Amino acid sequence: MLQQRLGLSLPTLKTLGGWSPIDEDTLEAWYQNAVGITLNGSDVSQWEDSSTNSYDMVQATATEQPAYSAGVLTFVPTDKNNLQTAGQISLAADFTIGIKITPSIAVAGTFLGDNTSAGELFKYANATTISIKIGGGATNVSVDSGSFGDDYLVITRVSDVLTLWQNGVAQSGTPTLAGTSLVDVIGIRKTDVNGFSGTIKEIQIYTTSTADLTANINDRLSTL
């Protein structure tokens, strides 16, 4: 099937007069909203990494490609929709992950994970809790009130302490979890299980965490 490309090629141009993820030296991967998308009909065969690290997310199997419309990728777990990089994103110390995401069910599954190493995932465990596994160790981060929905989320780790931000607000639970977090897939985990149900507009991954960075990510994601 004829494929088409959407968005700008690397490197993504900086936003004039404002902050952009590409401004950050610690940007590890950036799956930018409506940019770097390769379509196979109306499905995504590649989501290009807008950082300089080329962790492009690819899916050659047509039946496993997430659907696409107007900057929104839709993942269906029964179809095992996912995108994978041949590289390996490794977050050994502090990190920041920002994502614009909407789960379609309470137990919505894995939105970021590793399909080559077990025990590596970020997944919706239920309507109020995200389960995180790093190096086989596990913990949870939860919202203080209400539930997950059409959210922009930021997950930070500073000296092994995890914090969840929901729509710009830091949640009170701050569990600890050490180890190197491995990511090579969006929408599933090893091996092809716990698929994500819902939509994603953008993902940013950094190898550091600061208050300014978190604020800038929240500001950007709030506009998507």
Side-chain angles (χ1 to χ4, degrees), residues 182-201:
L182 302 177
V183 174
D184 69 8
V185 63
I186 301 171
I188 215 160
R189 72 173 180 90
K190 181 178 172 67
T191 304
D192 294 335
V193 295
N194 290 149
F196 174 60
S197 179
T199 64
I200 297 175
K201 289 185 176 180

Side-chain angles (χ1 to χ4, degrees), residues 8-212:
L8 301 174
S9 61
L10 290 177
T12 300
L13 297 177
K14 293 185 179 182
T15 303
L16 293 177
W19 177 85
S20 171
I22 203 68
D23 298 338
E24 302 291 333
D25 292 339
T26 62
L27 178 65
E28 187 73 359
W30 180 19
Y31 305 103
Q32 185 177 177
N33 177 246
V35 171
I37 298 288
T38 301
L39 290 180
N40 177 26
S42 61
D43 297 332
V44 178
S45 61
Q46 177 170 298
W47 198 357
E48 193 171 285
D49 178 11
S50 287
S51 83
T52 59
N53 294 318
S54 300
Y55 291 119
D56 300 336
M57 291 286 181
V58 178
Q59 182 51 258
T61 302
T63 57
E64 296 183 3
Q65 294 169 353
Y68 181 84
S69 178
V72 178
L73 284 74
T74 299
F75 293 78
V76 177
T78 53
D79 293 337
K80 297 184 178 180
N81 292 156
N82 70 92
L83 297 165
Q84 302 187 41
T85 175
Q88 180 66 73
I89 299 171
S90 299
L91 307 173
D94 293 358
F95 64 71
T96 303
I97 296 171
I99 184 167
K100 183 67 173 72
I101 187 169
T102 306
S104 62
I105 56 176
V107 187
T110 305
F111 52 91
L112 274 180
D114 199 285
N115 211 22
T116 53
S117 299
E120 303 288 342
L121 59 82
F122 296 80
K123 76 171 185 179
Y124 288 98
N126 54 54
T128 62
T129 302
I130 289 174
S131 176
I132 300 173
K133 289 187 177 181
I134 296 175
T139 193
N140 296 321
V141 290
S142 300
V143 293
D144 292 338
S145 63
S147 60
F148 292 114
D150 181 12
D151 296 322
Y152 54 97
L153 303 177
V154 176
I155 299 172
T156 64
R157 183 171 72 173
V158 179
S159 299
D160 297 336
V161 177
L162 294 163
T163 302
L164 169 67
W165 299 70
Q166 182 192 35
N167 300 328
V169 179
Q171 307 302 292
S172 61
T174 53
T176 60
L177 190 59
T180 298
S181 179
L182 302 177
V183 174
D184 69 8
V185 63
I186 301 171
I188 215 160
R189 72 173 180 90
K190 181 178 172 67
T191 304
D192 294 335
V193 295
N194 290 149
F196 174 60
S197 179
T199 64
I200 297 175
K201 289 185 176 180
E202 177 161 304
I203 302 173
Q204 303 171 29
I205 302 174
Y206 303 82
T207 57
T208 191
S209 182
T210 67
D212 285 347

